[in-house]
C-alpha cells in the first residue's frame, strides 16, 4: 500500500494512502494535517489515477517541490522526495509481489489422477531388479549478498573555496550540516542566536577597520601625512570590500562567519535545501538598511511565531538552525 513518510522532530510518521484523494494542509478539515507555519491552510492534494498517484499544488504560498523541483502537478513514483513548505516527505509505493501460480481441480478429477495406472512403458519387468531410488539434486546454498556500499565521505576543507585561514570559520561546499527539526518542520533561527551572529560579524568588521586605521596612522606619521591621506581615501573601500565578502559568504556558503559559529544558515524560503542567489543577498542587505533607518524596530518581527525579520520577508529567504 502506498504511504507517506513524514519527517518530524520526534521521528518519522507514516501515513497510509487509503483514499482515492487525500488533501494536505494546516486546517483541521484536511485528511493529512501538517501543523507547521510554512504549510498553507489547503496546501496540496494527492490523487490516485489508473493505479498510480499524483500530487497537485492547491495554490500554496511556499509551493510543492518533487525531488527539489517546484511543480504544479506531478506523477509520483516510489522513493520520490516531496518538500511542502519546510516539511520533508518521502512517497513510498512498492510494487506488489507476484502471486504464485495455482491450479484448481475438482475432487473427482483428483481421485481419477490418484487411481490411474501407470502407462505400460513405465511398469517394471517381472524379473527385473527394483531400480535404486534416484536422489533429488540438492540446490546449492544461496550466494551471500554483497556488503552495502560505504557511505559517501563528508565534504572536506578541500571543497571550501575560501582562503586557508578562513576555512575553519566557514562551511564546506556542499554544506554537510543537517537542519534541526522542531514542531514537525525545520527550526528557524531565534532572535537571540541571530543577534549574537550579527555581533560576531560586526566585531570582525570593526577589528578590520581598526587594524586598517592603525596602519594608516603609522604610515601617515612615517611619510609626513602623504600615505595617511591616501589611506583615508581608501578607507571606504575597506568597508565596501567587507560588505561584498559577507554577501559572497551568504551566497556560496549560506552563512557568514557569525552565522557559521552560531550554527545558522540563510536559505530560500521555497527551498530550504538550496542556496540564495546574489539578488536575494542584496535584497537582504537593503532590508537591513531599511531596518536601521527605522530605529531597528523591524528586527522585533523575528520575535514572532514565524521568526521572520523584514530582511527575510523582503528577500523571500529565511534563517534556519543546523547541527554544525
Amino acid at each position: 500500500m502506498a504511504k507517506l513518510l513524514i519527517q518530524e522532530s520526534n521521528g518519522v510518521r507514516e501515513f497510509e494512502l487509503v483514499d482515492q484523494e487525500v488533501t494536505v494542509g494546516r486546517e483541521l478539515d484536511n485528511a493529512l494535517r501538517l501543523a507547521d507555519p510554512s504549510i498553507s491552510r489547503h496546501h496540496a492534494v494527492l490523487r490516485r489515477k489508473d493505479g498510480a498517484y499524483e500530487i497537485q499544488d492547491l495554490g500554496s504560498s511556499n509551493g510543492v517541490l518533487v525531488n527539489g523541483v517546484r511543480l504544479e502537478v506531478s506523477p509520483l513514483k516510489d522513493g520520490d522526495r516531496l518538500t511542502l513548505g519546510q516539511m520533508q516527505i518521502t512517497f513510498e509505493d512498492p510494487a506488489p509481489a507476484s502471486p504464485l501460480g495455482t491450479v484448481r481441480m475438482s475432487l473427482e478429477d483428483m481421485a481419477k489422477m490418484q487411481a490411474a495406472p501407470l502407462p505400460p512403458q513405465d511398469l517394471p519387468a517381472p524379473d527385473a531388479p527394483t531400480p535404486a531410488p534416484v536422489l533429488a539434486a540438492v540446490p546449492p546454498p544461496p550466494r551471500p549478498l554483497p556488503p552495502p556500499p560505504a557511505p559517501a565521505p563528508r565534504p572536506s576543507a578541500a571543497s571550501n573555496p575560501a582562503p586557508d585561514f578562513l576555512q575553519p570559520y566557514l562551511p564546506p561546499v556542499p554544506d554537510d550540516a543537517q537542519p534541526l527539526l522542531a514542531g514537525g518542520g525545520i527550526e528557524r533561527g531565534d532572535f537571540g542566536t541571530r543577534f549574537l551572529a550579527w555581533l560576531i560579524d560586526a566585531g570582525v568588521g570593526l577589528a578590520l577597520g581598526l587594524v586598517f586605521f592603525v596602519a594608516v596612522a603609522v604610515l601617515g606619521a612615517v611619510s609626513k601625512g602623504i600615505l595617511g591621506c591616501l589611506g583615508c581615501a581608501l578607507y571606504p573601500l575597506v568597508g565596501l570590500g567587507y560588505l561584498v565578502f559577507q554577501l559572497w559568504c551568504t551566497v556560496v556558503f549560506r552563512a557568514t562567519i557569525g552565522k557559521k559559529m552560531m550554527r545558522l544558515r540563510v536559505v530560500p524560503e521555497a527551498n530550504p535545501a538550496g542556496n540564495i542567489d546574489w539578488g536575494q543577498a542584496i535584497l537582504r542587505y537593503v532590508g537591513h538598511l531599511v531596518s536601521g533607518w527605522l530605529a531597528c524596530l523591524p528586527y522585533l518581527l523575528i520575535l514572532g511565531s514565524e521568526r521572520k525579520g523584514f530582511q527575510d520577508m523582503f528577500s523571500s529567504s529565511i534563517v534556519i538552525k543546523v547541527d554544525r
Side-chain angles (χ1 to χ4, degrees):
M1 176 178 293
K3 61 184 176 180
L4 301 176
L5 303 181
I6 307 163
Q7 296 183 11
E8 297 182 337
S9 58
N10 56 351
V12 178
R13 173 162 64 106
E14 293 189 4
F15 181 86
E16 293 186 350
L17 301 174
V18 297
D19 297 327
Q20 294 294 111
E21 185 170 293
V22 176
T23 57
V24 184
R26 200 173 65 244
E27 290 291 337
L28 294 175
D29 59 350
N30 292 282
L32 174 56
R33 182 173 181 263
L34 301 177
D36 185 86
S38 65
I39 301 297
S40 300
R41 290 191 294 270
H42 297 92
H43 200 105
V45 60
L46 286 90
R47 297 189 182 91
R48 183 177 178 86
K49 288 185 176 181
D50 301 327
Y53 278 91
E54 69 175 15
I55 187 169
Q56 178 182 353
D57 187 2
L58 296 179
S60 61
S61 301
N62 295 326
V64 174
L65 280 73
V66 180
N67 297 321
V69 180
R70 184 164 182 170
L71 300 169
E72 296 296 329
V73 181
S74 173
L76 298 177
K77 62 181 182 299
D78 183 45
D80 280 346
R81 296 178 292 104
L82 310 179
T83 303
L84 277 64
Q86 297 183 18
M87 301 293 296
Q88 303 296 323
I89 303 173
T90 302
F91 174 78
E92 287 193 354
D93 188 14
S98 300
L100 297 176
T102 57
V103 177
R104 299 184 179 275
M105 184 179 297
S106 64
L107 295 177
E108 292 80 2
D109 293 339
M110 186 178 298
K112 291 179 182 178
M113 289 184 61
Q114 293 176 351
L118 292 174
Q121 62 271 20
D122 293 337
L123 292 175
D127 298 332
T130 303
V134 179
L135 298 179
V138 179
R143 298 178 61 183
L145 295 176
R154 288 185 173 182
S156 62
S159 61
N160 190 324
D164 292 341
F165 70 94
L166 283 178
Q167 288 183 5
Y169 307 102
L170 291 170
V173 178
D175 192 358
D176 59 345
Q178 298 298 320
L180 298 181
L181 302 179
I186 297 176
E187 184 176 0
R188 302 188 183 186
D190 56 82
F191 183 85
T193 306
R194 295 178 62 173
F195 181 68
L196 290 176
W198 178 84
L199 286 180
I200 295 173
D201 290 330
V204 172
L206 183 62
L208 290 175
L210 183 60
V211 170
F212 185 81
F213 178 79
V214 172
V216 169
V218 172
L219 292 175
V222 173
S223 63
K224 297 181 180 181
I226 298 177
L227 294 179
C229 294
L230 180 61
C232 291
L234 295 177
Y235 192 80
L237 296 180
V238 176
L240 179 61
Y242 183 64
L243 170 61
V244 174
F245 168 73
Q246 286 191 304
L247 296 178
W248 176 71
C249 290
T250 306
V251 172
V252 176
F253 303 102
R254 303 193 298 170
T256 59
I257 293 177
K259 286 184 172 60
K260 167 62 169 61
M261 296 179 67
M262 298 308 299
R263 299 182 179 181
L264 298 173
R265 298 291 188 273
V266 181
V267 298
E269 186 173 12
N271 181 19
N275 290 45
I276 66 172
D277 54 30
W278 278 96
Q280 289 176 296
I282 294 174
L283 288 177
R284 285 187 63 85
Y285 176 69
V286 173
H288 283 293
L289 289 180
V290 173
S291 297
W293 293 335
L294 298 177
C296 299
L297 292 178
Y299 287 114
L300 298 179
L301 294 173
I302 303 175
L303 296 173
S305 59
E306 294 191 3
R307 296 183 178 180
K308 291 176 61 176
F310 179 73
Q311 68 276 15
D312 303 321
M313 302 176 186
F314 195 57
S315 61
S316 299
S317 61
I318 56 176
V319 178
I320 64 173
K321 290 186 176 182
V322 294
D323 60 353
R324 66 179 64 86

